[in-house]
Amino acid sequence: MRARAATLGDLEDVFRGLSKRMSDEYVAAGKDSKIAYDNLMMNLKEGRAHALVEGDKAVAIIAWHENSDAADTLFAAQEDFFRAATVRFCKRHIRHIQALAGNLPIHSRSWLQGPDVARWFGVIGYVDRGQENGATLYELPPARIG
């Protein structure tokens, strides 16, 4: 797996085969796939979206935007993405995104409570910061420099 700047085609491909768990996540967040697509598109246009690519196929899009105290992530994936090897890849790649965002804490949210969700965030290095607007807020603390 590798990451590169996302393209419109990558975004369209991921949403064409969007996993049910991602659709369920958007609904639980009070959104739908169209709103999620539009939010990711906005970040893509601003150069803050990466395609996670397996072979020649984009299987996920991760985007981020900085605010005053953290960088918030947006995410979309096909079912092929959800396996141990990609979680290990994300552990490295999210630190790259964090560096691009000035080493701010990274905030990611999950509205679903499956047993693997907390475990996967934990493997990547996130800390559970509790509930926020119906979602579990996960925070990746800034990388230690030096």
Side-chain angles (χ1 to χ4, degrees):
M1 178 162 278
R2 64 187 174 86
R4 60 170 165 72
T7 66
L8 175 58
D10 295 330
L11 186 61
E12 290 172 351
D13 288 347
V14 168
F15 271 82
R16 195 171 306 124
L18 190 66
S19 78
K20 182 179 179 336
R21 71 177 86 192
M22 292 303 313
S23 296
D24 292 347
E25 178 89 13
Y26 300 148
V27 169
K31 300 178 180 179
D32 62 23
S33 295
K34 173 71 171 116
I35 292 170
Y37 180 96
D38 291 346
N39 289 339
L40 284 161
M41 174 64 81
M42 184 172 40
N43 284 278
L44 187 149
K45 286 180 178 179
E46 294 172 355
R48 294 186 316 252
H50 288 167
L52 305 183
V53 180
E54 190 79 65
D56 290 333
K57 179 184 175 193
V59 295
I61 303 287
I62 185 166
W64 66 96
H65 60 275
E66 299 90 2
N67 59 44
S68 61
D69 63 345
D72 291 301
T73 62
L74 302 166
F75 188 70
Q78 297 181 340
E79 195 58 39
D80 299 5
F81 173 83
F82 296 101
R83 49 186 217 287
T86 55
V87 173
R88 288 190 300 270
F89 174 81
C90 286
K91 182 176 183 173
R92 290 185 311 274
H93 189 66
I94 196 72
R95 288 295 184 183
H96 175 69
I97 290 171
Q98 191 170 48
L100 293 173
N103 200 32
L104 288 170
I106 300 287
H107 285 172
S108 297
R109 291 162 183 80
S110 179
W111 281 262
L112 300 180
Q113 303 299 321
D116 56 346
V117 173
R119 185 175 71 246
W120 287 4
F121 275 109
V123 165
I124 293 171
Y126 281 87
V127 177
D128 182 335
R129 294 294 187 209
Q131 295 292 301
E132 178 183 89
N133 299 323
T136 302
L137 173 63
Y138 293 96
E139 181 178 273
L140 184 67
R144 285 183 258 152
I145 307 295

